[in-house]
Short mmCIF file of all heavy atoms in Angstrom, two decimals:
data_model
loop_
_atom_site.label_atom_id
_atom_site.label_comp_id
_atom_site.label_asym_id
_atom_site.label_seq_id
_atom_site.Cartn_x
_atom_site.Cartn_y
_atom_site.Cartn_z
N MET A 1 0.83 -1.20 0.00
CA MET A 1 0.01 -0.02 0.02
C MET A 1 0.89 1.27 0.04
O MET A 1 1.80 1.38 0.82
CB MET A 1 -0.90 -0.02 1.20
CG MET A 1 -1.86 1.21 1.34
SD MET A 1 -3.25 1.09 0.19
CE MET A 1 -4.29 -0.05 1.10
N LEU A 2 0.64 2.13 -0.95
CA LEU A 2 1.36 3.39 -1.01
C LEU A 2 0.46 4.53 -0.64
O LEU A 2 -0.76 4.51 -0.94
CB LEU A 2 1.86 3.64 -2.41
CG LEU A 2 2.70 2.58 -3.12
CD1 LEU A 2 3.05 2.93 -4.53
CD2 LEU A 2 4.03 2.38 -2.33
N ASN A 3 1.02 5.49 0.10
CA ASN A 3 0.19 6.65 0.50
C ASN A 3 0.83 7.91 -0.08
O ASN A 3 2.04 8.09 -0.07
CB ASN A 3 0.22 6.78 2.04
CG ASN A 3 -0.64 5.76 2.68
OD1 ASN A 3 -1.90 5.86 2.64
ND2 ASN A 3 -0.10 4.76 3.25
N PHE A 4 -0.03 8.75 -0.68
CA PHE A 4 0.43 10.03 -1.23
C PHE A 4 -0.40 11.09 -0.70
O PHE A 4 -1.55 10.96 -0.39
CB PHE A 4 0.30 10.02 -2.77
CG PHE A 4 1.08 8.91 -3.42
CD1 PHE A 4 0.48 7.74 -3.85
CD2 PHE A 4 2.45 9.04 -3.68
CE1 PHE A 4 1.21 6.73 -4.49
CE2 PHE A 4 3.19 8.06 -4.29
CZ PHE A 4 2.56 6.89 -4.70
N GLN A 5 0.23 12.31 -0.71
CA GLN A 5 -0.50 13.54 -0.45
C GLN A 5 -0.40 14.36 -1.70
O GLN A 5 0.71 14.67 -2.22
CB GLN A 5 0.17 14.24 0.73
CG GLN A 5 -0.28 15.63 1.01
CD GLN A 5 -1.50 15.61 1.88
OE1 GLN A 5 -1.82 14.59 2.52
NE2 GLN A 5 -2.27 16.68 1.90
N ILE A 6 -1.54 14.68 -2.39
CA ILE A 6 -1.47 15.38 -3.66
C ILE A 6 -2.32 16.68 -3.52
O ILE A 6 -3.52 16.70 -3.70
CB ILE A 6 -2.06 14.51 -4.77
CG1 ILE A 6 -1.32 13.13 -4.84
CG2 ILE A 6 -1.88 15.18 -6.12
CD1 ILE A 6 -1.81 12.15 -5.92
N PRO A 7 -1.54 17.79 -3.23
CA PRO A 7 -2.24 19.03 -2.89
C PRO A 7 -3.12 19.56 -4.08
O PRO A 7 -4.17 20.16 -3.85
CB PRO A 7 -1.11 20.00 -2.66
CG PRO A 7 0.02 19.16 -2.20
CD PRO A 7 -0.14 17.89 -3.01
N ASN A 8 -2.72 19.33 -5.32
CA ASN A 8 -3.48 19.91 -6.44
C ASN A 8 -4.53 18.92 -6.96
O ASN A 8 -5.10 19.15 -8.03
CB ASN A 8 -2.61 20.42 -7.53
CG ASN A 8 -1.85 19.35 -8.29
OD1 ASN A 8 -1.62 18.25 -7.71
ND2 ASN A 8 -1.41 19.66 -9.50
N MET A 9 -4.92 17.88 -6.19
CA MET A 9 -6.01 17.06 -6.53
C MET A 9 -7.26 17.67 -5.84
O MET A 9 -7.44 17.51 -4.66
CB MET A 9 -5.77 15.60 -5.98
CG MET A 9 -6.93 14.67 -6.35
SD MET A 9 -6.67 13.01 -5.58
CE MET A 9 -7.01 13.42 -3.88
N THR A 10 -8.05 18.38 -6.60
CA THR A 10 -9.07 19.21 -6.01
C THR A 10 -10.46 18.99 -6.43
O THR A 10 -11.37 19.63 -5.92
CB THR A 10 -8.73 20.71 -6.31
OG1 THR A 10 -8.65 20.85 -7.76
CG2 THR A 10 -7.45 21.16 -5.69
N CYS A 11 -10.76 18.06 -7.32
CA CYS A 11 -12.10 17.83 -7.71
C CYS A 11 -12.24 16.36 -8.25
O CYS A 11 -11.28 15.63 -8.32
CB CYS A 11 -12.57 18.78 -8.76
SG CYS A 11 -11.86 18.57 -10.39
N GLY A 12 -13.49 16.04 -8.59
CA GLY A 12 -13.72 14.64 -9.07
C GLY A 12 -12.95 14.36 -10.35
O GLY A 12 -12.51 13.20 -10.58
N HIS A 13 -12.74 15.37 -11.17
CA HIS A 13 -11.98 15.14 -12.39
C HIS A 13 -10.54 14.74 -12.04
O HIS A 13 -9.94 13.86 -12.66
CB HIS A 13 -12.03 16.34 -13.31
CG HIS A 13 -11.08 16.29 -14.50
ND1 HIS A 13 -9.84 16.84 -14.42
CD2 HIS A 13 -11.18 15.63 -15.64
CE1 HIS A 13 -9.21 16.57 -15.57
NE2 HIS A 13 -10.02 15.85 -16.30
N CYS A 14 -9.99 15.45 -11.05
CA CYS A 14 -8.67 15.13 -10.59
C CYS A 14 -8.54 13.71 -10.13
O CYS A 14 -7.60 13.00 -10.38
CB CYS A 14 -8.16 16.07 -9.49
SG CYS A 14 -8.02 17.83 -10.01
N VAL A 15 -9.54 13.28 -9.34
CA VAL A 15 -9.55 11.95 -8.80
C VAL A 15 -9.47 10.90 -9.98
O VAL A 15 -8.71 9.97 -9.94
CB VAL A 15 -10.76 11.72 -7.91
CG1 VAL A 15 -10.85 10.21 -7.56
CG2 VAL A 15 -10.65 12.55 -6.65
N ARG A 16 -10.28 11.17 -11.05
CA ARG A 16 -10.30 10.25 -12.19
C ARG A 16 -8.93 10.30 -12.86
O ARG A 16 -8.42 9.22 -13.25
CB ARG A 16 -11.38 10.66 -13.21
CG ARG A 16 -12.79 10.10 -12.78
CD ARG A 16 -13.73 10.09 -13.94
NE ARG A 16 -13.85 11.42 -14.54
CZ ARG A 16 -14.67 12.35 -14.09
NH1 ARG A 16 -15.34 12.14 -12.99
NH2 ARG A 16 -14.77 13.50 -14.65
N ALA A 17 -8.37 11.48 -12.99
CA ALA A 17 -7.10 11.59 -13.68
C ALA A 17 -5.99 10.93 -12.91
O ALA A 17 -5.08 10.22 -13.43
CB ALA A 17 -6.73 13.10 -13.91
N VAL A 18 -6.02 11.09 -11.59
CA VAL A 18 -5.01 10.43 -10.72
C VAL A 18 -5.19 8.93 -10.76
O VAL A 18 -4.20 8.17 -10.89
CB VAL A 18 -5.15 10.98 -9.22
CG1 VAL A 18 -4.50 10.03 -8.24
CG2 VAL A 18 -4.66 12.37 -9.15
N THR A 19 -6.42 8.47 -10.78
CA THR A 19 -6.67 7.05 -10.83
C THR A 19 -6.16 6.46 -12.16
O THR A 19 -5.50 5.40 -12.20
CB THR A 19 -8.20 6.74 -10.67
OG1 THR A 19 -8.62 7.28 -9.39
CG2 THR A 19 -8.46 5.23 -10.77
N GLN A 20 -6.42 7.18 -13.25
CA GLN A 20 -5.93 6.72 -14.57
C GLN A 20 -4.43 6.67 -14.60
O GLN A 20 -3.84 5.74 -15.16
CB GLN A 20 -6.54 7.55 -15.66
CG GLN A 20 -7.95 7.22 -15.91
CD GLN A 20 -8.63 8.15 -16.94
OE1 GLN A 20 -7.99 9.05 -17.44
NE2 GLN A 20 -9.92 7.92 -17.21
N ALA A 21 -3.81 7.69 -14.03
CA ALA A 21 -2.33 7.72 -14.05
C ALA A 21 -1.76 6.58 -13.24
O ALA A 21 -0.80 5.91 -13.73
CB ALA A 21 -1.85 9.08 -13.44
N VAL A 22 -2.36 6.28 -12.10
CA VAL A 22 -1.85 5.12 -11.28
C VAL A 22 -2.04 3.85 -12.10
O VAL A 22 -1.15 2.97 -12.09
CB VAL A 22 -2.64 5.09 -9.97
CG1 VAL A 22 -2.37 3.76 -9.28
CG2 VAL A 22 -2.24 6.26 -9.06
N GLN A 23 -3.12 3.75 -12.79
CA GLN A 23 -3.42 2.50 -13.50
C GLN A 23 -2.63 2.33 -14.78
O GLN A 23 -2.54 1.23 -15.29
CB GLN A 23 -4.90 2.35 -13.74
CG GLN A 23 -5.61 2.06 -12.44
CD GLN A 23 -7.13 1.94 -12.49
OE1 GLN A 23 -7.76 2.41 -13.41
NE2 GLN A 23 -7.72 1.31 -11.53
N LEU A 24 -1.96 3.41 -15.21
CA LEU A 24 -0.98 3.26 -16.27
C LEU A 24 0.28 2.56 -15.71
O LEU A 24 0.93 1.76 -16.40
CB LEU A 24 -0.56 4.64 -16.83
CG LEU A 24 -1.56 5.29 -17.77
CD1 LEU A 24 -1.01 6.67 -18.15
CD2 LEU A 24 -1.80 4.45 -19.01
N ALA A 25 0.53 2.82 -14.42
CA ALA A 25 1.70 2.15 -13.76
C ALA A 25 1.36 0.73 -13.47
O ALA A 25 2.23 -0.10 -13.54
CB ALA A 25 2.10 2.94 -12.48
N ASP A 26 0.12 0.46 -13.05
CA ASP A 26 -0.33 -0.87 -12.70
C ASP A 26 -1.81 -0.97 -12.95
O ASP A 26 -2.67 -0.44 -12.22
CB ASP A 26 -0.04 -1.15 -11.21
CG ASP A 26 -0.64 -2.46 -10.74
OD1 ASP A 26 -1.09 -3.26 -11.59
OD2 ASP A 26 -0.59 -2.72 -9.52
N PRO A 27 -2.20 -1.59 -14.07
CA PRO A 27 -3.63 -1.73 -14.45
C PRO A 27 -4.53 -2.35 -13.36
O PRO A 27 -5.71 -2.07 -13.30
CB PRO A 27 -3.63 -2.60 -15.69
CG PRO A 27 -2.26 -2.42 -16.27
CD PRO A 27 -1.38 -2.27 -15.10
N ALA A 28 -3.90 -3.11 -12.48
CA ALA A 28 -4.70 -3.83 -11.44
C ALA A 28 -4.73 -3.00 -10.10
O ALA A 28 -5.37 -3.43 -9.17
CB ALA A 28 -4.08 -5.16 -11.14
N ALA A 29 -4.15 -1.82 -10.12
CA ALA A 29 -4.11 -1.06 -8.90
C ALA A 29 -5.48 -0.57 -8.50
O ALA A 29 -6.26 -0.29 -9.33
CB ALA A 29 -3.18 0.16 -9.09
N THR A 30 -5.69 -0.50 -7.23
CA THR A 30 -6.88 0.12 -6.73
C THR A 30 -6.51 1.44 -6.00
O THR A 30 -5.50 1.52 -5.32
CB THR A 30 -7.69 -0.79 -5.79
OG1 THR A 30 -6.92 -1.14 -4.66
CG2 THR A 30 -8.19 -2.01 -6.48
N VAL A 31 -7.33 2.43 -6.17
CA VAL A 31 -6.98 3.81 -5.72
C VAL A 31 -8.14 4.28 -4.84
O VAL A 31 -9.33 4.22 -5.21
CB VAL A 31 -6.84 4.79 -6.92
CG1 VAL A 31 -6.53 6.17 -6.39
CG2 VAL A 31 -5.76 4.27 -7.83
N GLN A 32 -7.75 4.75 -3.63
CA GLN A 32 -8.77 5.35 -2.76
C GLN A 32 -8.32 6.83 -2.56
O GLN A 32 -7.21 7.08 -2.06
CB GLN A 32 -8.78 4.71 -1.38
CG GLN A 32 -9.55 3.42 -1.27
CD GLN A 32 -9.42 2.90 0.12
OE1 GLN A 32 -8.50 2.18 0.43
NE2 GLN A 32 -10.38 3.25 0.96
N ALA A 33 -9.14 7.76 -2.99
CA ALA A 33 -8.78 9.15 -2.87
C ALA A 33 -9.73 9.89 -1.99
O ALA A 33 -10.93 9.70 -2.05
CB ALA A 33 -8.76 9.81 -4.28
N ASP A 34 -9.18 10.72 -1.13
CA ASP A 34 -9.99 11.57 -0.26
C ASP A 34 -9.75 13.02 -0.60
O ASP A 34 -8.68 13.56 -0.29
CB ASP A 34 -9.60 11.30 1.21
CG ASP A 34 -10.47 12.07 2.23
OD1 ASP A 34 -11.10 13.05 1.80
OD2 ASP A 34 -10.55 11.66 3.39
N LEU A 35 -10.75 13.62 -1.25
CA LEU A 35 -10.56 15.03 -1.72
C LEU A 35 -10.37 15.97 -0.57
O LEU A 35 -9.60 16.93 -0.64
CB LEU A 35 -11.81 15.43 -2.45
CG LEU A 35 -11.79 15.15 -3.98
CD1 LEU A 35 -13.09 15.62 -4.61
CD2 LEU A 35 -10.57 15.83 -4.65
N ALA A 36 -11.03 15.76 0.56
CA ALA A 36 -10.98 16.67 1.71
C ALA A 36 -9.54 16.80 2.23
O ALA A 36 -9.10 17.90 2.57
CB ALA A 36 -11.92 16.31 2.80
N THR A 37 -8.83 15.69 2.27
CA THR A 37 -7.47 15.71 2.91
C THR A 37 -6.39 15.61 1.77
O THR A 37 -5.20 15.69 2.12
CB THR A 37 -7.31 14.53 3.83
OG1 THR A 37 -7.52 13.30 3.07
CG2 THR A 37 -8.28 14.60 5.00
N HIS A 38 -6.79 15.40 0.54
CA HIS A 38 -5.85 15.21 -0.62
C HIS A 38 -5.05 13.98 -0.42
O HIS A 38 -3.92 13.92 -1.01
CB HIS A 38 -5.01 16.47 -0.76
CG HIS A 38 -5.75 17.73 -0.92
ND1 HIS A 38 -6.42 18.07 -2.10
CD2 HIS A 38 -6.01 18.74 -0.08
CE1 HIS A 38 -7.03 19.24 -1.95
NE2 HIS A 38 -6.88 19.62 -0.70
N GLN A 39 -5.49 13.06 0.30
CA GLN A 39 -4.79 11.79 0.54
C GLN A 39 -5.19 10.81 -0.49
O GLN A 39 -6.37 10.63 -0.82
CB GLN A 39 -5.08 11.19 1.95
CG GLN A 39 -4.54 12.02 3.09
CD GLN A 39 -3.13 11.75 3.42
OE1 GLN A 39 -2.47 10.92 2.80
NE2 GLN A 39 -2.69 12.42 4.50
N VAL A 40 -4.18 10.05 -0.98
CA VAL A 40 -4.46 8.97 -2.00
C VAL A 40 -3.80 7.73 -1.47
O VAL A 40 -2.57 7.72 -1.16
CB VAL A 40 -3.95 9.35 -3.35
CG1 VAL A 40 -4.16 8.17 -4.37
CG2 VAL A 40 -4.61 10.64 -3.86
N LYS A 41 -4.56 6.65 -1.34
CA LYS A 41 -3.99 5.36 -0.99
C LYS A 41 -4.07 4.49 -2.23
O LYS A 41 -5.10 4.34 -2.86
CB LYS A 41 -4.82 4.75 0.12
CG LYS A 41 -4.69 5.46 1.43
CD LYS A 41 -5.43 4.74 2.54
CE LYS A 41 -5.31 5.53 3.85
NZ LYS A 41 -5.97 4.86 4.94
N VAL A 42 -2.97 3.83 -2.55
CA VAL A 42 -2.90 3.01 -3.76
C VAL A 42 -2.45 1.64 -3.34
O VAL A 42 -1.43 1.44 -2.73
CB VAL A 42 -1.80 3.62 -4.74
CG1 VAL A 42 -1.73 2.71 -5.93
CG2 VAL A 42 -2.23 5.03 -5.14
N ASP A 43 -3.28 0.63 -3.68
CA ASP A 43 -2.94 -0.72 -3.48
C ASP A 43 -2.40 -1.29 -4.81
O ASP A 43 -3.14 -1.43 -5.79
CB ASP A 43 -4.24 -1.51 -3.02
CG ASP A 43 -3.83 -2.91 -2.53
OD1 ASP A 43 -2.67 -3.27 -2.54
OD2 ASP A 43 -4.82 -3.63 -2.15
N THR A 44 -1.12 -1.48 -4.80
CA THR A 44 -0.44 -1.84 -6.10
C THR A 44 0.82 -2.66 -5.85
O THR A 44 1.40 -2.57 -4.74
CB THR A 44 -0.09 -0.56 -6.89
OG1 THR A 44 0.53 -0.94 -8.10
CG2 THR A 44 0.83 0.32 -6.07
N THR A 45 1.21 -3.35 -6.87
CA THR A 45 2.50 -4.02 -6.79
C THR A 45 3.65 -3.17 -7.45
O THR A 45 4.77 -3.52 -7.46
CB THR A 45 2.48 -5.39 -7.54
OG1 THR A 45 1.99 -5.17 -8.89
CG2 THR A 45 1.58 -6.35 -6.80
N ALA A 46 3.19 -2.05 -8.13
CA ALA A 46 4.17 -1.19 -8.74
C ALA A 46 4.99 -0.39 -7.68
O ALA A 46 4.52 -0.23 -6.55
CB ALA A 46 3.45 -0.17 -9.68
N SER A 47 6.18 0.01 -8.05
CA SER A 47 7.02 0.73 -7.12
C SER A 47 6.52 2.17 -6.93
O SER A 47 5.86 2.68 -7.78
CB SER A 47 8.49 0.75 -7.60
OG SER A 47 8.58 1.68 -8.71
N ARG A 48 6.83 2.72 -5.83
CA ARG A 48 6.47 4.13 -5.57
C ARG A 48 6.99 5.05 -6.64
O ARG A 48 6.26 5.94 -7.15
CB ARG A 48 7.00 4.54 -4.18
CG ARG A 48 6.58 5.96 -3.78
CD ARG A 48 7.06 6.36 -2.39
NE ARG A 48 6.52 7.60 -2.06
CZ ARG A 48 5.35 7.79 -1.43
NH1 ARG A 48 4.64 6.73 -1.07
NH2 ARG A 48 4.87 8.99 -1.20
N GLU A 49 8.24 4.81 -7.08
CA GLU A 49 8.85 5.66 -8.09
C GLU A 49 8.04 5.61 -9.46
O GLU A 49 7.86 6.60 -10.08
CB GLU A 49 10.31 5.21 -8.40
CG GLU A 49 11.26 5.46 -7.27
CD GLU A 49 11.02 4.60 -6.00
OE1 GLU A 49 10.46 3.46 -6.11
OE2 GLU A 49 11.30 5.07 -4.88
N THR A 50 7.60 4.38 -9.79
CA THR A 50 6.83 4.23 -11.06
C THR A 50 5.54 4.99 -10.97
O THR A 50 5.12 5.68 -11.90
CB THR A 50 6.55 2.73 -11.30
OG1 THR A 50 7.81 2.03 -11.27
CG2 THR A 50 5.90 2.52 -12.63
N VAL A 51 4.85 4.88 -9.84
CA VAL A 51 3.54 5.58 -9.69
C VAL A 51 3.79 7.06 -9.65
O VAL A 51 3.06 7.86 -10.32
CB VAL A 51 2.84 5.09 -8.39
CG1 VAL A 51 1.62 5.93 -8.13
CG2 VAL A 51 2.52 3.64 -8.51
N VAL A 52 4.80 7.54 -8.96
CA VAL A 52 5.12 8.97 -8.89
C VAL A 52 5.37 9.53 -10.31
O VAL A 52 4.95 10.58 -10.65
CB VAL A 52 6.28 9.27 -7.94
CG1 VAL A 52 6.84 10.69 -8.13
CG2 VAL A 52 5.84 9.08 -6.48
N ALA A 53 6.10 8.76 -11.09
CA ALA A 53 6.47 9.20 -12.50
C ALA A 53 5.19 9.36 -13.30
O ALA A 53 5.08 10.36 -14.04
CB ALA A 53 7.40 8.18 -13.12
N GLN A 54 4.24 8.43 -13.18
CA GLN A 54 3.00 8.51 -13.96
C GLN A 54 2.14 9.77 -13.46
O GLN A 54 1.54 10.44 -14.21
CB GLN A 54 2.20 7.25 -13.84
CG GLN A 54 2.83 6.09 -14.62
CD GLN A 54 2.83 6.31 -16.12
OE1 GLN A 54 2.17 7.19 -16.65
NE2 GLN A 54 3.66 5.49 -16.79
N LEU A 55 2.10 9.93 -12.12
CA LEU A 55 1.39 11.08 -11.57
C LEU A 55 1.96 12.37 -12.11
O LEU A 55 1.22 13.26 -12.44
CB LEU A 55 1.41 11.03 -10.08
CG LEU A 55 0.57 9.90 -9.40
CD1 LEU A 55 0.90 9.84 -7.92
CD2 LEU A 55 -0.93 10.14 -9.60
N ALA A 56 3.30 12.46 -12.12
CA ALA A 56 3.96 13.64 -12.59
C ALA A 56 3.58 13.95 -14.07
O ALA A 56 3.31 15.06 -14.43
CB ALA A 56 5.48 13.55 -12.41
N GLN A 57 3.58 12.90 -14.87
CA GLN A 57 3.19 13.07 -16.30
C GLN A 57 1.76 13.62 -16.41
O GLN A 57 1.46 14.29 -17.39
CB GLN A 57 3.25 11.70 -16.95
CG GLN A 57 4.63 11.17 -17.24
CD GLN A 57 4.87 10.96 -18.74
OE1 GLN A 57 3.90 10.97 -19.50
NE2 GLN A 57 6.05 10.75 -19.17
N ALA A 58 0.90 13.26 -15.49
CA ALA A 58 -0.49 13.69 -15.57
C ALA A 58 -0.63 15.06 -14.91
O ALA A 58 -1.73 15.61 -14.89
CB ALA A 58 -1.35 12.64 -14.84
N GLY A 59 0.43 15.61 -14.35
CA GLY A 59 0.42 16.94 -13.79
C GLY A 59 0.15 17.03 -12.34
O GLY A 59 -0.16 18.09 -11.78
N TYR A 60 0.33 15.89 -11.64
CA TYR A 60 0.09 15.88 -10.19
C TYR A 60 1.42 15.61 -9.47
O TYR A 60 2.14 14.62 -9.82
CB TYR A 60 -0.95 14.81 -9.82
CG TYR A 60 -2.24 15.19 -10.40
CD1 TYR A 60 -2.66 14.67 -11.64
CD2 TYR A 60 -3.07 16.11 -9.77
CE1 TYR A 60 -3.85 15.04 -12.22
CE2 TYR A 60 -4.30 16.50 -10.36
CZ TYR A 60 -4.67 15.98 -11.57
OH TYR A 60 -5.85 16.31 -12.14
N GLN A 61 1.71 16.42 -8.51
CA GLN A 61 3.01 16.31 -7.81
C GLN A 61 2.74 15.84 -6.35
O GLN A 61 2.30 16.59 -5.52
CB GLN A 61 3.72 17.69 -7.74
CG GLN A 61 3.91 18.34 -9.11
CD GLN A 61 4.86 17.58 -9.96
OE1 GLN A 61 5.70 16.84 -9.48
NE2 GLN A 61 4.72 17.74 -11.28
N PRO A 62 2.95 14.55 -6.07
CA PRO A 62 2.74 14.10 -4.76
C PRO A 62 3.78 14.76 -3.76
O PRO A 62 4.90 14.86 -4.14
CB PRO A 62 3.04 12.58 -4.80
CG PRO A 62 2.95 12.26 -6.27
CD PRO A 62 3.36 13.46 -7.01
N ALA A 63 3.27 15.22 -2.66
CA ALA A 63 4.13 15.87 -1.66
C ALA A 63 4.68 14.74 -0.72
O ALA A 63 4.08 13.70 -0.58
CB ALA A 63 3.40 16.91 -0.90
CU1 LIG B 101 -9.79 18.65 -10.54
#
Protein backbone atom coordinates (compact mmCIF):
# COMPACT_ATOMS: atom_id res chain seq x y z
CA MET A 1 0.00 0.00 0.00
CA LEU A 2 1.37 3.39 -1.02
CA ASN A 3 0.22 6.66 0.51
CA PHE A 4 0.45 10.00 -1.25
CA GLN A 5 -0.49 13.56 -0.46
CA ILE A 6 -1.49 15.38 -3.66
CA PRO A 7 -2.26 19.04 -2.92
CA ASN A 8 -3.50 19.89 -6.42
CA MET A 9 -6.04 17.05 -6.52
CA THR A 10 -9.05 19.26 -5.99
CA CYS A 11 -12.11 17.79 -7.71
CA GLY A 12 -13.71 14.65 -9.06
CA HIS A 13 -11.99 15.12 -12.39
CA CYS A 14 -8.64 15.14 -10.63
CA VAL A 15 -9.53 11.93 -8.83
CA ARG A 16 -10.29 10.27 -12.17
CA ALA A 17 -7.06 11.61 -13.69
CA VAL A 18 -5.02 10.44 -10.70
CA THR A 19 -6.67 7.03 -10.83
CA GLN A 20 -5.96 6.68 -14.54
CA ALA A 21 -2.34 7.74 -14.04
CA VAL A 22 -1.87 5.15 -11.30
CA GLN A 23 -3.43 2.49 -13.50
CA LEU A 24 -0.96 3.26 -16.27
CA ALA A 25 1.69 2.17 -13.77
CA ASP A 26 -0.33 -0.88 -12.70
CA PRO A 27 -3.64 -1.70 -14.44
CA ALA A 28 -4.68 -3.80 -11.44
CA ALA A 29 -4.08 -1.04 -8.91
CA THR A 30 -6.91 0.15 -6.72
CA VAL A 31 -7.02 3.80 -5.71
CA GLN A 32 -8.76 5.38 -2.76
CA ALA A 33 -8.77 9.16 -2.90
CA ASP A 34 -9.99 11.56 -0.23
CA LEU A 35 -10.56 15.01 -1.70
CA ALA A 36 -10.95 16.69 1.69
CA THR A 37 -7.48 15.70 2.86
CA HIS A 38 -5.87 15.24 -0.59
CA GLN A 39 -4.75 11.80 0.55
CA VAL A 40 -4.46 8.99 -1.96
CA LYS A 41 -4.00 5.37 -1.01
CA VAL A 42 -2.87 3.02 -3.75
CA ASP A 43 -2.96 -0.74 -3.48
CA THR A 44 -0.45 -1.86 -6.09
CA THR A 45 2.54 -4.02 -6.82
CA ALA A 46 4.18 -1.16 -8.75
CA SER A 47 7.02 0.73 -7.11
CA ARG A 48 6.46 4.13 -5.56
CA GLU A 49 8.85 5.64 -8.12
CA THR A 50 6.84 4.23 -11.04
CA VAL A 51 3.57 5.57 -9.68
CA VAL A 52 5.10 8.98 -8.90
CA ALA A 53 6.45 9.19 -12.47
CA GLN A 54 3.00 8.56 -13.95
CA LEU A 55 1.38 11.06 -11.59
CA ALA A 56 3.95 13.67 -12.59
CA GLN A 57 3.19 13.04 -16.28
CA ALA A 58 -0.47 13.68 -15.54
CA GLY A 59 0.39 16.96 -13.80
CA TYR A 60 0.11 15.88 -10.19
CA GLN A 61 2.99 16.31 -7.78
CA PRO A 62 2.75 14.09 -4.72
CA ALA A 63 4.14 15.82 -1.67
CU1 LIG B 1 -9.80 18.64 -10.53
